[in-house]
Amino acid sequence: MNLVLVGPPGAGKGTQAEKLITEFGLTHVATGDMFRAAVSNGTPMGLEAKKYMDAGKLVPDDVVVGMVEERLAQDDVRDGFMLDGFPRNTHQAEALDAFLEKSGRSIDLVLNIAVDPELLVKRLTGRRVCRECGGNYHVLFSPSEAGDKCAGCGGELYLRDDDNEHTVRNRLDVYRNQTEPVIGYYRPLGKLADINGALKPDEVFEQIFKAIGATEESESA
Ligand code: AP5
């Protein structure tokens, strides 16, 4: 199955992606993670992307689209993938359809994870990420049992550069103005499932599980 996770910053895309990997073994393709890896490796693309990320703006389409097209041409995604953070505007959605079509593939399901903006600000400013394994915590909602270290690997937990309140609010504006239209792009195609992301992570995943089951049933009918 080829899935897309759409939702505002902090909606829980990364959190649900971890559950989808465990349950369905889908390969996770997260553009934000790809950019952060490029930043920490100090590549020219990473240095360029960091300017946009720190301001809460979208990295230009010509950079993102080429990067995702290259990633989705690799062998490990032939049998399915889960896109997280892409497409983020309708131009990216059109480009995605066009390059998947070239290899006889298409998107099966788009999960639209919705959460109230004020809750998103709390989630993001309280998020802590492990520098070693990428483990995801929240100082109030899901603290690490190992304090300021990762409970999984003991790595250092840090606050992402773009998770300060000012940048978070810019990211939410960018989402409203540029990414929400992506929902309108997919809805008429009958590929969209609306997910209430304000519930507990397991309850959010239950809705996702049902939406995937319904899509599999309709595709096999
Ligand atoms: P990216 O890394 O994609 O960030 P984002 O979309 O802003 O999403 P986040 O990773 O912040 O949130 P999430 O939805 O994964 O939430 P999480 O599960 O961590 O992008 C970063 C930047 O890269 C962009 O701003 C842009 O500059 C650039 N970029 C990336 N893709 C691009 C593209 N296609 N085009 C152009 N530029 C691009 O959860 C958040 C917190 O809440 C965690 O602490 C978690 O523990 C907690 N939490 C999660 N779910 C729940 C729940 N149900 N209940 C309680 N707490 C919860």
Side-chain angles (χ1 to χ4, degrees), residues 7-16 31-33 35-36 49 52-54 56-61 64 84-88 92 123-124 126-128 136-138 141-142 160 162-163 171 197-201 204:
K13 301 181 294 296
T15 302
Q16 296 303 320
T31 43
D33 289 349
F35 286 132
R36 280 184 289 280
Y52 296 94
M53 294 166 82
D54 285 352
K57 294 182 179 164
L58 296 188
V59 177
D61 287 347
V64 190
D84 165 357
F86 183 92
R88 249 178 157 95
Q92 293 182 11
R123 281 192 185 176
L124 290 174
R127 170 168 59 185
R128 297 294 181 271
N136 198 332
Y137 299 91
H138 190 281
F141 307 143
S142 52
R160 265 171 47 175
D162 58 350
D163 277 349
R171 288 161 62 198
L199 304 177
K200 292 186 182 137
V204 176

Side-chain angles (χ1 to χ4, degrees), residues 3-8 11-13 16 83 109-115 175 179-184 186-187 191-198 204 207-208 211:
L3 277 185
V4 172
L5 298 170
V6 176
K13 301 181 294 296
Q16 296 303 320
L83 278 171
L109 177 64
V110 179
L111 297 162
N112 170 33
I113 308 179
V115 179
Y175 177 79
T179 309
E180 270 186 358
V182 170
I183 298 167
Y186 286 113
R187 197 180 293 284
K191 293 184 173 184
L192 198 84
D194 291 305
I195 305 293
N196 177 358
V204 176
Q207 302 169 65
I208 291 178

Side-chain angles (χ1 to χ4, degrees), residues 40 106 119 146 155 158 189 199:
S40 71
S106 60
L119 179 55
Y158 78 104
L189 305 177
L199 304 177

Side-chain angles (χ1 to χ4, degrees), residues 1-2 9 14 49 53 99 113 172 183 195 218 220:
M1 176 165 285
N2 299 326
M53 294 166 82
F99 66 68
I113 308 179
L172 291 172
I183 298 167
I195 305 293
S218 73
S220 65

Side-chain angles (χ1 to χ4, degrees), residues 19 69 124 181:
K19 294 178 184 291
E69 181 168 13
L124 290 174

